[in-house]
Amino acid sequence: MSKKAKKRTVFAVIIAILCALSAWGFALKTVRYKVSTDKLDKNIRIVFISDLHNCFFGDTNNSKLIREVDKADPDIVIFGGDIIDGWGGTEHALDLMTELSGRYPCVYTPGNHEEMRDDTEEFYEKAGQICPLLLGNKEELSVNGQNIRIYGVLDSVEWGKEKPQLDECFDDLDNTYYNILIAHQPEQIDSYLGKNDKYFDLILSGHAHGGQWRIPKLLDQGLYAPDQGILPKYTTGQYKYDNTTHIISRGLARPMRMIFIPRIFNRPELSVIDINN
């Protein structure tokens, strides 16, 4: 084989490896978490969908993602922030929300990308007609004969009508309930934790996309995350703080605009959370 042919072969192999890694990095993975509590008599299962960025899995109607949700058989579906992108279409996200809201109780809290759009309020109106929109407020749900409360904040410093949304949630907290907070940005965890003996039992975040590039044992939290920069601290996994459990989803984003920092060893995540008594 000539030197020129060898170079072409090496180049083709490298391209094939990069394509394989990228394809693997875009493949959906269901990740399961277990949380314990003495506040509930019966178990509750949550599917947490975060950082979809208007992507789809399977057909454009998100058939594969819907099948995975149905397979998990959740009691509640929670849509976290960045369900759409800061630009472009919204149809895949809205279709998914519509389809799943017809099968399961659901709630939705947006993230930073929803706030970046020119049609933010229009989108909130459409999404809020599908399932409750939580921005500094709560939704009380009866699940398996038990009442739980789910709160949502856009940002720990984001201002509501009179005060920061997080303060509004803390003011309304009742520790006799099992309380869940949807809070998009994991690096703000210190703000989300207990305040004057009030606390959330479970906090759900996304935003960090698992740190984009992950290498087991070397880059367990990834290479880069928004608002955390290089070598971020909070991008994925389950954490325990006294009475509070914090779960960070790697999210479902797989747009081609991520080609400059593609997901490597970091598959898109559908989070399934079992809350056990």
Side-chain angles (χ1 to χ4, degrees), residues 95-112:
D95 288 347
L96 177 67
M97 294 174 77
T98 299
E99 185 67 28
L100 292 180
S101 68
R103 306 180 189 205
Y104 312 101
C106 69
V107 296
Y108 165 54
T109 294
N112 57 296

Side-chain angles (χ1 to χ4, degrees), residues 37-44 143-148 178 275-277:
T37 182
D38 58 4
K39 290 186 176 181
L40 300 173
D41 295 323
K42 297 179 181 178
N43 299 342
I44 292 176
V143 184
N144 298 331
Q146 310 164 109
N147 286 350
I148 68 169
Y178 190 85
I275 306 170
N276 302 316
N277 65 326

Side-chain angles (χ1 to χ4, degrees), residues 16-17 27-28 34 39 43 55 60 63 76 92 131 133 136 149 162-163 187 246 250 264-265:
I17 291 172
L28 176 65
K34 290 185 178 180
K39 290 186 176 181
N43 299 342
C55 296
T60 54
S63 56
I76 310 167
H92 303 314
C131 61
L133 177 67
R149 290 182 172 181
E162 298 178 356
K163 60 170 63 176
E187 74 280 359
H246 186 201
R250 295 198 296 269
I264 297 179
F265 299 117

Side-chain angles (χ1 to χ4, degrees), residues 124-140:
Y124 286 171
E125 183 176 352
K126 290 178 181 177
Q129 291 173 355
I130 299 170
C131 61
L133 177 67
L134 303 181
L135 285 169
N137 56 314
K138 71 172 185 296
E139 181 74 8
E140 187 169 321

Side-chain angles (χ1 to χ4, degrees), residues 102-247:
R103 306 180 189 205
Y104 312 101
C106 69
V107 296
Y108 165 54
T109 294
N112 57 296
H113 269 259
E114 284 91 337
E115 289 289 305
M116 292 164 55
R117 298 180 62 92
D118 294 331
D119 60 349
T120 297
E121 293 305 319
E122 179 184 343
F123 178 78
Y124 286 171
E125 183 176 352
K126 290 178 181 177
Q129 291 173 355
I130 299 170
C131 61
L133 177 67
L134 303 181
L135 285 169
N137 56 314
K138 71 172 185 296
E139 181 74 8
E140 187 169 321
L141 297 175
S142 179
V143 184
N144 298 331
Q146 310 164 109
N147 286 350
I148 68 169
R149 290 182 172 181
I150 305 177
Y151 296 78
V153 295
L154 179 64
D155 190 305
S156 70
V157 297
E158 184 74 19
W159 286 82
K161 293 180 179 179
E162 298 178 356
K163 60 170 63 176
Q165 293 173 5
L166 188 60
D167 284 352
E168 294 177 352
C169 292
F170 272 119
D171 288 348
D172 193 48
L173 264 183
D174 181 343
N175 284 353
T176 61
Y177 289 86
Y178 190 85
N179 296 303
I180 300 172
L181 175 68
I182 313 167
H184 187 59
Q185 297 178 229
E187 74 280 359
Q188 297 179 0
I189 182 61
D190 289 343
S191 299
Y192 306 148
L193 295 177
K195 205 170 190 179
N196 299 325
D197 296 325
K198 291 184 175 183
Y199 60 89
F200 297 100
D201 298 280
L202 177 63
I203 300 172
L204 302 178
S205 300
H207 189 52
H209 297 180
Q212 298 298 128
W213 293 2
R214 296 168 49 76
I215 302 176
K217 306 299 183 183
L218 182 60
L219 288 174
D220 278 343
Q221 290 296 323
L223 177 66
Y224 172 82
D227 298 304
Q228 296 185 66
I230 301 295
L231 300 179
K233 186 176 180 181
Y234 303 107
T235 67
T236 183
Q238 181 171 336
Y239 303 82
K240 183 70 175 176
Y241 303 91
D242 295 326
N243 298 311
T244 300
T245 298
H246 186 201
I247 291 175

Side-chain angles (χ1 to χ4, degrees), residues 8-53:
R8 287 177 178 174
T9 301
V10 170
F11 181 74
V13 169
I14 291 173
I15 293 298
I17 291 172
L18 290 175
C19 289
L21 283 173
S22 294
W24 184 85
F26 288 162
L28 176 65
K29 180 180 181 180
T30 296
V31 179
R32 295 180 177 271
Y33 301 89
K34 290 185 178 180
V35 180
S36 298
T37 182
D38 58 4
K39 290 186 176 181
L40 300 173
D41 295 323
K42 297 179 181 178
N43 299 342
I44 292 176
R45 176 170 291 174
I46 295 170
V47 160
F48 180 46
I49 295 175
S50 179
D51 297 273
L52 182 68
H53 288 270

